[in-house]
Amino acid sequence: RLAFELALLALVAVGAIAAARFGFAAYYHRAYPMKYEAQIGRACAEKGLDPALVYAVVRTESGFDPRAKSNVGAQGLMQLMPDTARWVAQQMGHGNYTDRQLKEPETNIQLGTWYLGYLLKEFNGDEVQALAAYNAGRGHVESWIKEKNWNGMVDTIPFPETRMYVKTVLTYQERYESLYGEHH
């Protein structure tokens, strides 16, 4: 944990030096890009999602690489598991969906934003709980809450990886909001 925190501090210091040297706005706009703006904007408008949240999820999940694949098999910009993507596609009425489409930015964003919106509804708009479920799985979060192993606060998320994930997404969301405004 200490090594991670020291590495994070070093990264922040390097970022601050770069920002001072090249100009804060230019540095941060490069560090927090708005790639796939048309697809993300359209998906957020259709589903009533905050674009800053979706950009933060995509930046955290894949770094905007549509070919990204995690060691557990999550794929694409929003890092969906194939089983989850198939279920979402079915819920959305995508009758001809195939796993190959997970690498297509448009499809991945459509499925990922639908799922994120679904989780936000499931957890009554609570972004922390929805993001924890997006990362760790809905079943884990539901059991943590039911068994009173989690009070819903970021700092008490039982899985350290999920705790860090949620903190990262929320930090990135704030950065996107401050750079580009709450609704783009």
Side-chain angles (χ1 to χ4, degrees):
R1 179 157 165 84
L2 180 61
F4 174 78
E5 288 175 1
L6 288 173
L8 193 59
L9 279 173
L11 199 59
V12 168
V14 167
I17 291 165
R21 185 167 179 198
F22 301 113
F24 285 102
Y27 168 76
Y28 280 110
H29 283 91
R30 271 196 302 282
Y32 297 91
M34 289 181 59
K35 295 181 179 178
Y36 306 102
E37 190 169 4
Q39 297 94 325
I40 290 173
R42 189 168 45 252
C44 288
E46 289 168 2
K47 296 168 184 85
L49 295 175
D50 175 10
L53 177 63
V54 175
Y55 280 109
V57 168
V58 174
R59 186 180 190 276
T60 304
E61 290 286 357
S62 67
F64 295 94
D65 179 1
R67 298 173 315 273
K69 188 171 183 177
S70 76
N71 57 354
V72 295
Q75 296 180 42
L77 290 170
M78 296 190 73
Q79 289 291 285
L80 295 167
M81 293 297 288
D83 286 350
T84 302
R86 283 190 293 271
W87 179 79
V88 169
Q90 186 180 28
Q91 300 302 306
M92 292 179 73
H94 265 296
N96 58 354
Y97 171 79
T98 65
D99 288 347
R100 265 194 333 272
Q101 292 175 288
L102 258 184
K103 291 181 182 75
E104 296 172 6
E106 178 75 29
T107 302
N108 194 281
I109 290 165
Q110 282 296 325
L111 297 175
T113 54
W114 187 95
Y115 188 54
L116 185 58
Y118 168 80
L119 291 172
L120 282 163
K121 283 185 206 99
E122 284 286 296
F123 293 101
N124 302 311
D126 187 310
E127 286 183 354
V128 170
Q129 292 178 10
L131 289 168
Y134 193 92
N135 179 262
R138 195 174 77 226
H140 282 118
V141 174
E142 288 169 349
S143 71
W144 295 341
I145 293 168
K146 191 176 124 202
E147 295 164 16
K148 301 197 183 338
N149 292 333
W150 183 38
N151 63 8
M153 303 302 290
V154 178
D155 289 330
T156 59
I157 294 172
F159 289 178
E161 177 196 320
T162 300
R163 187 179 325 123
M164 195 68 226
Y165 171 83
V166 172
K167 284 181 180 182
T168 301
V169 171
L170 293 175
T171 298
Y172 291 169
Q173 180 185 19
E174 285 178 17
R175 297 252 168 82
Y176 273 102
E177 286 171 354
S178 68
L179 283 170
Y180 301 104
E182 201 158 323
H183 297 284
H184 320 293

